[in-house]
Amino acid sequence: MLDSILGSLKVVTLATKTDFRSVTSREIALFEGPMGWGEFSPFLEYSYEESIPWLLSGIEAAFARIPTSIRNAIEVNATMPAINNPIEIAEILAAFAGAKVIKIKVGEDLTSDFARIACVRELRPEAKIRLDVNGLWNVDEAEEFLKQVGDIEYVEQPCSTIEELRELKLRTGVKIAGDEVIRKAKDPLSVDLAGAIDVLMLKVAPLGGISRALEIANHHQLPVAVSSALESAVGISHGLKLAAAVSKLDFACGLGTGALLAVDVAHLPIVNGSIEVKDVIPDSTALAKYAVSNERLNWWRNRIRKVWEAGAHSIIQEKGWSL
């Protein structure tokens, strides 16, 4: 299997439309298997061990049968990066056609955060608002912000630790969603989420694929939302299939982030606030146009080999995945 992955490997650089948590482009590795295309795109600073679930997710997409979809399309939220220019904010919102929910990145500057939220509310007064903090607040900061912000759907990862989330939950009636607290855990099944969160955020690549993400959701028995890790259309299509397989889906999903990319390898249009669940084949012209240098291609080949050796190979054997 490893030879097959490396033999079909394509790596591209996809620019973003704006700075997204200091990310201005994404290097994406893609490979083809008997079931279709898979994506391997852990952020460049991730260790080999931390990248294992990402490789497993890509291999599942390319080589394994996945759970049956029970939905044909997934409602998505708009995602607003931590930008402050009203014209840029309007341009970003316009890219999410028909989205009725907007997730706003906050946490780095109080004044800018409130101004960004106010701007979004002025432009889309009918939209539901959710916030994503990426664990940047302590409990007191989170409590104070949530007292002032007005009505929101939920706040995602306001504090970094389970203990802080539990304390915050005692102080606020705002729903709390957990992201990093699950996807960065050594064993997501062993994390005790009782009294800490109300909504479980599932991201297909960091959790190791659709089957593993569904196992985590079934174990914790919490309402779920599915989100992306700023993947290409190939990776997003796998996230859509996860959302389509979840037994109960009460929230719009953060799977419209292709709208934040300036270029992509395929087109997954947002139509009336939703994206169709379907297989995605990367465009050959785009693969050539956005291809990395041979030096970077070899870097990614070596990275995949190292992640394979770090533990991915043994997990694949346990799962029985093969050519």
Side-chain angles (χ1 to χ4, degrees):
M1 181 184 286
L2 179 59
D3 288 342
S4 176
I5 291 168
L6 297 176
S8 66
L9 190 68
K10 308 288 184 183
V11 182
V12 294
T13 299
L14 304 178
T16 61
K17 292 178 179 176
T18 186
D19 187 311
F20 191 81
R21 292 287 196 216
S22 300
V23 174
T24 56
S25 67
R26 288 282 275 132
E27 279 194 353
I28 306 283
L30 303 167
F31 51 87
E32 189 176 14
M35 306 306 292
W37 284 81
E39 175 169 324
F40 175 63
S41 56
F43 293 92
L44 300 181
E45 68 271 17
Y46 282 16
S47 68
Y48 298 139
E49 184 180 48
E50 191 174 4
S51 300
I52 289 172
W54 296 70
L55 184 56
L56 295 175
S57 179
I59 289 172
E60 178 191 57
F63 292 92
R65 296 192 180 278
I66 60 173
T68 303
S69 295
I70 59 175
R71 298 172 188 86
N72 297 320
I74 303 300
E75 182 186 358
V76 298
N77 61 262
T79 298
M80 180 54 59
I83 58 176
N84 301 304
N85 184 311
I87 295 174
E88 287 186 68
I89 289 173
E91 289 173 348
I92 292 294
L93 289 178
F96 293 88
K100 300 177 180 65
V101 181
I102 302 168
K103 179 167 82 171
I104 305 173
K105 292 283 188 177
V106 297
E108 294 181 337
D109 179 82
L110 193 70
T111 302
S112 297
D113 290 343
F114 279 118
R116 188 177 313 117
I117 294 166
C119 183
V120 169
R121 281 181 165 145
E122 183 177 350
L123 291 167
R124 295 284 183 87
E126 76 291 345
K128 291 181 181 178
I129 301 296
R130 59 178 68 156
L131 306 179
D132 187 5
V133 192
N134 292 110
L136 293 175
W137 290 333
N138 62 38
V139 177
D140 291 337
E141 289 169 335
E143 180 186 18
E144 188 58 34
F145 195 100
L146 295 176
K147 282 180 179 177
Q148 297 180 51
V149 74
D151 184 50
I152 61 172
E153 185 179 37
Y154 63 66
V155 58
E156 183 178 332
Q157 200 69 46
C159 309
S160 62
T161 69
I162 287 282
E163 294 74 21
E164 287 175 308
L165 294 176
R166 283 203 184 97
E167 176 62 28
L168 178 61
K169 203 159 159 40
L170 294 174
R171 300 193 199 178
T172 182
V174 176
K175 282 187 172 65
I176 296 172
D179 175 14
E180 287 89 343
V181 74
I182 280 293
R183 68 176 167 87
K184 289 188 172 290
K186 288 279 189 182
D187 179 11
L189 296 178
S190 68
V191 179
D192 181 7
L193 297 175
I197 66 172
D198 305 283
V199 181
L200 183 63
M201 190 62 60
L202 300 178
K203 293 186 175 180
V204 68
L207 293 178
I210 292 175
S211 295
R212 178 62 169 169
L214 290 175
E215 180 185 6
I216 292 166
N218 291 335
H219 174 80
H220 288 292
Q221 289 294 300
L222 285 166
V224 303
V226 180
S227 195
S228 83
L230 205 57
E231 298 105 321
S232 78
V234 172
I236 292 293
S237 72
H238 208 45
L240 289 165
K241 290 174 183 176
L242 167 59
V246 170
S247 60
K248 196 168 189 294
L249 192 63
D250 295 322
F251 296 96
C253 293
L255 295 168
T257 51
L260 298 175
L261 296 176
V263 295
D264 207 339
V265 296
H267 188 43
L268 275 175
I270 302 171
V271 180
N272 296 324
S274 295
I275 303 179
E276 181 185 359
V277 180
K278 63 179 183 179
D279 293 333
V280 167
I281 300 173
D283 178 73
S284 58
T285 302
L287 290 177
K289 184 175 182 179
Y290 307 122
V292 298
S293 67
N294 285 333
E295 180 183 2
R296 293 304 299 164
L297 178 61
N298 288 330
W299 184 90
W300 277 93
R301 284 178 175 146
N302 183 63
R303 189 183 197 189
I304 289 172
R305 289 190 188 98
K306 294 294 187 182
V307 173
W308 182 270
E309 294 164 359
H313 181 219
S314 60
I315 296 172
I316 289 164
Q317 285 185 317
E318 291 172 12
K319 291 179 178 293
W321 293 345
S322 66
L323 288 173

